[in-house]
Amino acid sequence: MKKFIYILAGLLLVSGTAMAQNKNLKRVNKMFEMRAYKDAAEIYETKERNQEVLQNLADCYYYNSSLQKAIKTYRELFVEYGDSIDIEYHFKFAQALKGVKDYKEADKHLRRYYNKPVNTLAFIEETDKTTPHTFKLKQIENKNSSSDFGLSFYGDDKVAFASARNSENPAYAWNNLPYLDLYSATINSQNILEDIQPFSEAINTSSHESNAVISKDGKTMYFNRTNTARKKTDEERIAHIKIYKAELVDGQWTNVTPLPFTSNAYSTEHPALSKDEKTLYFASDMPGSYGSFDIYRVTINDDGTYSEPENLGETINTKHREQFPFISEYNVLYFSSIGHQGFGGLDVFRSNMVNNTFDKPVNLGSSINSNLDDFAYVVREKTNKGYVSSNRTGYDRLYGFAREQNPLTMYQVEGIVEDLNSKELLAGSLVTLFDESDTVIQDTIVGDDAYYIFKIEPNKKYKVRGTRKAYIPQDVEFSTDSKGKVQHNIYLSLQSFADAEERVEEKDDGIVQVELDKIYFDFDEAIIREDAAVTLNVLVDLMKKYPSMEVEVSAHTDARGPDEYNLNLSKKRAASTLEYLVSQGIERNRLKSIGYGEMQPLNQCVKEGICDDREYDINRRCEFTILN
């Protein structure tokens, strides 16, 4: 009996211990869900190292940039539970490995993740050859803070930035640093922040504030603020971020309100204004995103309302994080991404706006991107100076930079072909590169994106030409000599003959014709009459104005008379018309003649005796179709 009691007591003790363990695990899991990573990691280290504990512990270290500990824990996780681990852990493990520049092992996990070959070292080598600029970074000294980021231009000589310098703020559970506030300052010639002032309590609250962007007149501010309350229905019960707008009235920031497209159910963050301040770009994980955070934009209407958010699409956004957008005065989009191929962590990318959409992003290279997070890039394109944030030293830091043309960049010319008036991309256009002796070096037919690129050489003069059927060719000359540029972006904007000339018309079926007064021939004759010559001289002048224009001359008869007779007569009349144009100085190889007889009537008069003379007369004509 006693033995049974001891056994029962032991079982109760074990059961009680297991219950306590489970209770404690639930508590630390809740801390993990609330993103209290630093405190959660300390508790996970004391727990039995099952799959759940190892996954969460590794993630705690990863999200707090304790990369060596993250790598050790991820490796233990893969050794013990490799076959049952979610594919996303391959991606996070690879990012941690990139963070310590172990690219060889990182690529193994990325190959598994993407199910295709990945060679990060080759990517780095190629990127440093092709990225447009190189950067000289200098850390901005800020002795009173352990974490600063998100610096933006503020007026002519001031900056705004987020900082964890206020020790009176409560500590943030993610990293045990004080909550963020927004500050204004100036930067002296030694790259030291001076006259640092917090924004008013209308802006800075007991929650996080960061990433301010201020209008050119200084009267409107957009910024991040973290919700003080967590949404209970969220699976992870996290505090979301909203973009707020504030107005400067009588020297005081007031009317602080969240933007109407923000929500308690998802985050909106990192606002950025276009040059004309009519478009606001931002990052969000709202429904409809490709995965984590995507880049969006809204139109700011004249009445102060906003359009519906527009996702910038899969060219820019991936299933991972795209954040910190900035749009320059040249309509170049800069943003940070962990989803596009990079050096590790968030990298800064650029993308050019073409026809109101953005082209394939380009990594800015190793002179600005590190193996950790690099973000919040801003630049004044005209001065080639700006700022970026990075945690490459272990904490978020601000860096100023100057940039120059990349000396390793392969000399190249690139661009798109578009319609001058409609701005429609002209897929299928021919782009030709000539040297200074007008010899063709390269040519290409552009695809659906209308994009072309040619590799060129230094210290030479070139010409690039865009041509397309029924369009006026465009030539652009440029140089790669000591006064020229390494990289040329040349948009070829072609004007159609139909837009340029009143007498040229594009038909519904896409055929482009020169509309002339009707040409008359004497009965049963193919000789050009004097009145017909006057009409044809209009075409002569047009073809001399546009030396590239090629024309098909076609002659048509009505249905009266034998078929064979009408066909031969139309051929003679078309040939006679061509010979007249040649006699007036138009090169023969720019012309083609064809007789269709009665085969292409414009109405229903397809045989004799069913129409009056006026209706038959409609079909007796010459047409001038532009071939090129």
Side-chain angles (χ1 to χ4, degrees), residues 278-548:
K278 293 182 178 180
T279 306
L280 184 74
Y281 293 80
F282 62 96
S284 178
D285 59 351
M286 65 175 61
S289 298
Y290 286 89
S292 180
F293 281 85
D294 284 0
I295 308 296
Y296 287 81
R297 64 182 172 189
V298 294
T299 299
I300 304 174
N301 300 315
D302 292 339
D303 61 1
T305 59
Y306 301 84
S307 68
E308 289 296 314
E310 175 193 358
N311 189 299
L312 294 194
E314 60 185 353
T315 300
I316 298 298
N317 296 311
T318 69
K319 67 179 294 186
H320 298 288
R321 286 185 293 142
E322 279 72 45
Q323 296 172 294
F324 300 97
F326 172 77
I327 190 83
S328 78
E329 66 264 36
Y330 294 162
N331 274 336
V332 178
L333 173 68
Y334 297 91
F335 65 99
S336 289
S337 172
I338 199 172
H340 294 284
Q341 190 169 11
F343 294 79
L346 289 169
D347 276 6
V348 182
F349 292 80
R350 62 173 281 160
S351 173
N352 297 311
M353 183 186 286
V354 180
N355 291 338
N356 206 37
T357 61
F358 292 98
D359 61 11
K360 184 179 179 181
V362 174
N363 189 298
L364 294 196
S366 63
S367 64
I368 191 167
N369 288 318
S370 69
N371 53 313
L372 295 175
D373 289 333
D374 306 286
F375 55 98
Y377 175 104
V378 297
V379 66
R380 282 179 169 152
E381 304 270 18
K382 291 181 180 178
T383 64
N384 285 310
K385 292 183 179 179
Y387 305 101
V388 69
S389 302
S390 178
N391 69 350
R392 65 188 65 187
T393 63
Y395 289 97
D396 292 333
R397 293 282 187 266
L398 299 169
Y399 295 82
F401 66 76
R403 73 178 190 186
E404 350 179 284
Q405 287 288 330
N406 182 1
L408 296 177
T409 303
M410 297 177 185
Y411 284 68
Q412 62 186 37
V413 58
E414 63 179 340
I416 62 165
V417 189
E418 62 181 6
D419 186 285
L420 176 66
N421 296 309
S422 70
K423 303 303 179 185
E424 178 185 357
L425 295 177
L426 297 179
S429 299
L430 172 67
V431 182
T432 307
L433 181 70
F434 299 83
D435 66 13
E436 58 188 349
S437 65
D438 243 13
T439 301
V440 175
I441 303 299
Q442 303 175 61
D443 59 23
T444 186
I445 303 291
V446 299
D448 291 341
D449 57 1
Y451 173 79
Y452 73 91
I453 183 169
F454 296 126
K455 300 298 181 185
I456 49 181
E457 297 177 7
N459 301 312
K460 290 190 176 181
K461 293 181 180 179
Y462 292 94
K463 176 173 67 180
V464 64
R465 172 180 294 166
T467 54
R468 182 180 174 84
K469 178 182 176 181
Y471 276 77
I472 303 167
Q474 183 189 13
D475 287 356
V476 178
E477 295 182 350
F478 63 96
S479 172
T480 59
D481 61 21
S482 58
K483 296 180 181 179
K485 294 190 297 183
V486 170
Q487 196 161 12
H488 293 259
N489 295 298
I490 297 177
Y491 282 29
L492 295 169
S493 298
L494 307 186
Q495 186 175 29
S496 69
F497 288 122
D499 286 336
E501 298 292 337
E502 288 186 19
R503 287 189 173 272
V504 178
E505 182 179 352
E506 183 174 355
K507 307 295 184 181
D508 291 340
D509 57 5
I511 293 174
V512 180
Q513 293 183 335
V514 181
E515 300 291 324
L516 300 179
D517 295 335
K518 196 163 187 176
I519 295 176
Y520 293 96
F521 294 86
D522 290 331
F523 179 75
D524 200 27
E525 294 288 343
I527 299 172
I528 300 298
R529 297 182 356 179
E530 208 170 289
D531 55 347
V534 172
T535 299
L536 288 174
N537 286 340
V538 175
L539 178 60
V540 170
D541 291 341
L542 193 65
M543 293 188 73
K544 287 182 176 179
K545 181 178 179 180
Y546 300 110
S548 68

Side-chain angles (χ1 to χ4, degrees), residues 56 132 174 183 279 318 338 397 513 563 595 598 604 612 625:
N56 291 354
W174 183 306
Y183 293 80
T279 306
T318 69
I338 199 172
R397 293 282 187 266
Q513 293 183 335
D563 293 355
E598 61 188 69
Q604 299 303 311
D612 59 31
T625 302

